[in-house]
Amino acid sequence: MGKVYLVGAGLGGREGLTVRALQVLRQAEAVWIDELVDERLLVELPGQAQLWRRSGESSVQEGVLWLIQRCHEDKQVVHLKSGDPLIFGRTREEVEALTKAGCPFEILPGLSSALAGPLWAGIPLTDQHLSRTVAVLTAHELEALPWSALAQLDTLVILMGSRQRQAIAAQLVDAGIPTQRPVALIWGAGQAEQQVWVGELGELLQGKELSPSRKNPLPALLVIGEVVKLRQLVLPGIPPLPEPAPLAGKTVLVTRSEGQSEAFRQLLQAQGARILEMPTLVIQPPDSWDPLDRAIASLAQVDWLLLTSANAVSHFFARLHHHKQDSRALRGLKVAVVGSKTAATLAQYGIHPDLVPPEFVADALLEVWPQPVAGQRILFPRVQSGGRDVLVQGLRQRGAEVEEVAAYESTCPPAADAQVVAALKTGQVDILSFASSKTVQHFARLLQQAGLGPEVWDPPVQIAAIGPKTAETCVAVLGRVDIEAKEYTLEGLVEAMVSTFQSRPEPPTRR
């Protein structure tokens, strides 16, 4: 029977989970991941687990419906929530919906940032002399809070308190708290990129600019009370922060097509990066299957099958299966591929290529293609809109008969994701990553439609390309490229990013 688990993810990685929560994560079949959950936890999930994240257009109700649907499919389902599910986690609505739908569920507690966050900043919430009372509140709906009562308490912990800090300070001062009351803002509590600012309530009231560097877009926790003074006394004894990963504190924009970015996401998360996804490609069938169908019907007359992308492999074999055929239909012909990912996708169908160039670019095939070429018939299933023709022209010049047929099409989405546009506008993206020339071109088109231009990718934003052809397009369309993979794979692209930032590290600080 399916079951839903509402799991508190705490503040950070595995160390902040309960033993039970870790067991549930490792057995999960479908997981709804909240936006603020530390990406390091995703390595604990089974590789085949189905993931769902709320987009800017989806609602909490859609998420709850997703939980119910997966449960009715007899899956072990997890809603992974940051902190603790029952502290400002809107869990009651989920419980009511799950109960009504007949879904068994279990709630697993987590370390709330309200309690553990101040600890990692070295601030005790209670003290025999300075704090006998603590209140936890959220900065949403400030007008509904009893400020005169809150002003009588020793310590206040306010979640999501950074953006509303001036309004909060005004309410507290009006309620009688002196402007000299110590305060602390904690960004990224308990994580490698944690930053802490300590000051007085009056500084918040004045609207002093206190934001951390643009490289730490995490929400802040606001602590108000005399216990903030004890920070320096307690600091040496608190648990150490996690070791910063090479890309910790960096936000990478992934522009791969929807449904094909998960492997890249996992590679980046393993290096500590935060991910924003804005698919710039929509993969769909070609306008007509007729050319590919005719080519499949005459496979017996083909000498070579040329595949230059994983999309070409999957769409070619999907069409082969549509005609009730499988890899046995390729008996007698040879297969050439470009790239390790293409070869790996091909291996899923039980076929190992006869020819793979040492460099993962199509043009490199010309240098290693076995002679003689003249008179050979080469079937080339490819994207309908085409691409570079150097390889095709080179083979034809040597006398080969190259038949290009559309196996799929890649188009530009109608509009950019609103959340990503907002992040780009406010400088919350550190690296723009591109795995093909089309992703660069479509990215620029989508941003133009959103009213954005080169200011979005001005330094210090880094532009990263998977290989020389994509790098050329970055230069032509965006004006430059900063990071280029030496090995033209997703792994190589991540390695190039890591190498770039390790050469000029920016260590996080507690203060």
Side-chain angles (χ1 to χ4, degrees), residues 300-495:
Q301 284 77 52
V302 172
D303 298 296
W304 283 88
L305 176 64
L306 172 57
L307 299 164
T308 58
S309 71
N311 282 323
V313 175
S314 57
H315 284 77
F316 173 80
F317 277 92
R319 200 60 187 172
L320 199 64
H321 292 168
H322 173 78
H323 292 289
K324 296 182 170 49
Q325 298 188 64
D326 55 27
S327 57
R328 289 172 292 183
L330 306 186
R331 184 183 300 136
L333 59 78
K334 295 182 179 180
V335 182
V337 304
V338 175
S340 57
K341 180 63 184 298
T342 310
T345 306
L346 185 65
Q348 296 174 8
Y349 299 93
I351 297 177
H352 296 280
D354 300 281
L355 183 61
V356 183
E359 293 186 33
F360 299 155
V361 290
D363 300 358
L365 270 174
L366 280 175
E367 301 175 9
V368 296
W369 200 285
Q371 299 294 335
V373 177
Q376 293 187 339
R377 185 179 177 189
I378 302 171
L379 176 61
F380 185 13
R382 66 182 306 178
V383 63
Q384 178 177 301
S385 50
R388 285 176 55 87
D389 293 324
V390 174
L391 173 60
V392 173
Q393 292 174 0
L395 290 171
R396 285 174 176 164
Q397 288 171 0
R398 297 179 186 183
E401 179 188 346
V402 182
E403 182 181 2
E404 299 176 81
V405 294
Y408 66 98
E409 178 60 310
S410 60
T411 61
C412 186
D417 181 273
Q419 285 186 322
V420 173
V421 169
L424 290 167
K425 282 182 176 179
T426 54
Q428 296 302 318
V429 177
D430 298 287
I431 306 173
L432 305 176
S433 67
F434 300 103
S436 71
S437 290
K438 278 193 175 180
T439 59
V440 182
Q441 296 160 350
H442 291 179
F443 170 79
R445 184 189 306 174
L446 290 169
L447 260 62
Q448 185 179 26
Q449 292 175 0
L452 301 180
E455 72 281 355
V456 166
W457 58 81
D458 281 345
V461 175
Q462 300 284 292
I463 300 173
I466 198 169
K469 306 306 178 187
T470 307
E472 287 177 11
T473 308
C474 286
V475 173
V477 176
L478 306 179
R480 72 178 204 283
V481 65
D482 306 295
I483 302 170
E484 184 178 335
K486 294 180 179 179
E487 178 184 305
Y488 313 146
T489 63
L490 295 177
E491 291 82 358
L493 181 53
V494 174
E495 184 179 338

Side-chain angles (χ1 to χ4, degrees), residues 275-292:
I275 314 300
L276 282 177
E277 291 187 59
M278 187 179 83
T280 58
L281 292 176
V282 177
I283 306 300
Q284 59 190 35
D287 292 340
S288 172
W289 288 113
D290 291 345
L292 182 56

